[in-house]
Amino acid sequence: MDVEAQQRAELETARDVERYPVPDPGLPEHLPRLSDVDDRAADRATRQVATMFGLVPVLAVLFVVIYFAVPRDAVFLGQNAKNIGLGVTAGLALMLIGVGAVQWGRQLMDDHEMVDHRHGAASTQEDVEYVLRELDAGTNESGIRRRKILGYSLGGALAALGLPLIVSFADLGPYPTKRVRAATIESTIWKEGIRLVHDVTYEPIKASEMVIGQLVNAQPENLQEFHGTEYLQEKAKASIIIVRMDPNDIKIPEERRDWQVGGILCYSKICTHVGCPISLWEQQTHHLLCPCHQSTFDLGDSGLVVFGPAARALPQLPITTDAEGFLVARQGFTVPVGPSYFERDSRGDFKGE
């Protein structure tokens, strides 16, 4: 029986060799780190980590200084000096936090091997208490309670990184004060005497050539003076539509009697909801429909909203004719054009009352 048992054991061993050709090597012998047995090495590692964390606020301050002190057009080694400075300081700050955290974990946190068994997704009260105990133990093992300078320096480093972030918000644009809004998004290039011209050809528009029911996409004649980004910005605000309707079929408020020419009226082309360009014209109803969110404006009744999410009437441009019979602006828009926003004071807008 002993011989048979031995033969069976040898057979099982041979099968295991075929199934698992590489034997389990086991875990190597655990060797202590130098910082575990030498306090001077541990202190040296602590100084290294704290120094790396301590340099982060310095780099954050340098980021702010470069942001405000270095001109945008300054050049260094053929590249934009400001971008190089901001990238180097912010990049080094993040790198020092990462390297410091790695050095902390490799040299100072507790160094022992452990096995964490899997468990179900639902946590019992015992599991919660276990996790809290382990968290407390992990905090002790990190050495942060004994070497408090690590926590202070890390906290200072992370807090200092907020400086570059906050300062960078200035690049989102100027603070939208009332004066800034009045000089930018709330103003257009329309002025008294500016001719109304076709959108593409820039040909001036004669009042006598427009027929009832016609809609024309138009621009101010002086838009041609702008180029690039400035051109696009001004066009986005100054775009208009011109329509001609039978004066007997439309409502013209007394205060707007001189804003039209024989039933020819001019409105902003920009929807007051979210700023989409609109020109879907219903001749019979005198309605102008925005294709984006279906806001509908009655151009025969001062551009008032009759349907949809828009909260304001389309701004109307006062127009007249010059000595040659061409349509010109009587003045600029009396209210800001474009979409609504929370700073927008629309209390002075016409409400058709």
Side-chain angles (χ1 to χ4, degrees):
M1 291 296 295
D2 293 340
V3 174
E4 292 179 358
Q6 183 177 0
Q7 290 176 344
R8 285 197 300 271
E10 291 176 353
L11 181 59
E12 289 295 331
T13 301
R15 290 176 178 172
D16 288 341
V17 170
E18 293 177 359
R19 192 180 307 167
Y20 307 110
V22 179
D24 183 0
L27 293 175
E29 180 184 359
H30 179 73
L31 299 176
R33 302 167 302 187
L34 180 61
S35 56
D36 293 333
V37 296
D38 187 347
D39 288 339
R40 289 180 299 178
D43 292 340
R44 184 166 58 250
T46 300
R47 289 193 297 270
Q48 292 172 352
V49 174
T51 300
M52 285 186 274
F53 289 161
L55 287 174
V56 174
V58 177
L59 291 168
V61 172
L62 284 176
F63 181 100
V64 176
V65 171
I66 292 171
Y67 186 90
F68 290 106
V70 178
R72 290 182 179 272
D73 56 355
V75 177
F76 179 72
L77 298 178
Q79 302 295 325
N80 186 282
K82 187 168 189 175
N83 289 344
I84 292 176
L86 297 179
V88 168
T89 51
L92 283 177
L94 291 171
M95 185 190 73
L96 286 174
I97 289 181
V99 174
V102 171
Q103 181 72 347
W104 184 355
R106 288 170 59 90
Q107 299 295 332
L108 297 171
M109 290 187 178
D110 196 50
D111 182 35
H112 67 275
E113 297 165 354
M114 58 183 295
V115 176
D116 188 11
H117 297 283
R118 290 188 176 184
H119 54 77
S123 299
T124 63
Q125 184 61 32
E126 291 77 9
D127 292 334
V128 173
E129 294 175 355
Y130 168 77
V131 170
L132 293 177
R133 288 196 303 271
E134 289 298 307
L135 180 62
D136 188 65
T139 303
N140 291 329
E141 292 169 1
S142 70
I144 195 171
R145 288 177 176 167
R146 291 183 293 107
R147 303 177 186 274
K148 295 183 178 180
I149 189 175
L150 296 173
Y152 295 147
S153 58
L154 176 60
L158 294 176
L161 278 181
L163 283 175
L165 178 63
I166 294 173
V167 169
S168 299
F169 285 157
D171 277 341
L172 295 177
Y175 189 77
T177 61
K178 186 175 182 179
R179 178 179 299 178
V180 170
R181 298 198 309 271
T184 55
I185 60 176
E186 293 183 356
S187 66
T188 69
I189 57 176
W190 283 107
K191 296 179 181 178
E192 181 182 358
I194 299 296
R195 279 184 172 179
L196 285 61
V197 298
H198 285 276
D199 188 16
V200 178
T201 63
Y202 287 95
E203 295 178 358
I205 302 169
K206 269 194 173 182
S208 59
E209 295 177 353
M210 290 198 65
V211 298
I212 293 177
Q214 183 181 7
L215 180 144
V216 176
N217 291 291
Q219 299 291 344
E221 187 176 35
N222 57 343
L223 181 63
Q224 302 173 85
E225 301 172 5
F226 299 88
H227 304 280
T229 301
E230 192 176 16
Y231 167 84
L232 296 175
Q233 291 174 340
E234 296 302 336
K235 183 176 182 179
K237 296 184 294 180
S239 296
I240 55 171
I241 52 146
I242 309 168
V243 292
R244 184 161 199 168
M245 296 172 282
D246 186 341
N248 298 317
D249 295 339
I250 60 178
K251 298 178 182 179
I252 301 177
E254 188 61 36
E255 63 271 23
R256 297 191 182 190
R257 286 291 172 184
D258 58 354
W259 287 23
Q260 50 89 34
V261 179
I264 301 175
L265 298 97
C266 178
Y267 291 93
S268 170
K269 184 183 173 71
I270 310 305
C271 181
T272 58
H273 178 219
V274 292
C276 302
I278 51 179
S279 59
L280 297 180
W281 173 232
E282 298 176 354
Q283 295 183 7
Q284 301 302 317
T285 62
H286 304 151
H287 289 173
L288 190 70
L289 174 67
C290 176
C292 299
H293 305 98
Q294 286 71 56
S295 292
T296 306
F297 305 89
D298 188 353
L299 302 191
D301 189 7
S302 304
L304 294 176
V305 181
V306 295
F307 181 78
R312 297 187 293 115
L314 274 182
Q316 183 177 352
L317 180 70
I319 60 174
T320 185
T321 55
D322 60 14
E324 300 177 62
F326 292 108
L327 294 175
V328 297
R330 183 179 291 274
Q331 64 182 87
F333 283 102
T334 59
V335 295
V337 302
S340 303
Y341 45 91
F342 69 92
E343 300 101 339
R344 169 77 162 80
D345 185 0
S346 59
R347 290 174 294 181
D349 288 10
F350 175 78
K351 297 181 174 59
E353 298 174 351

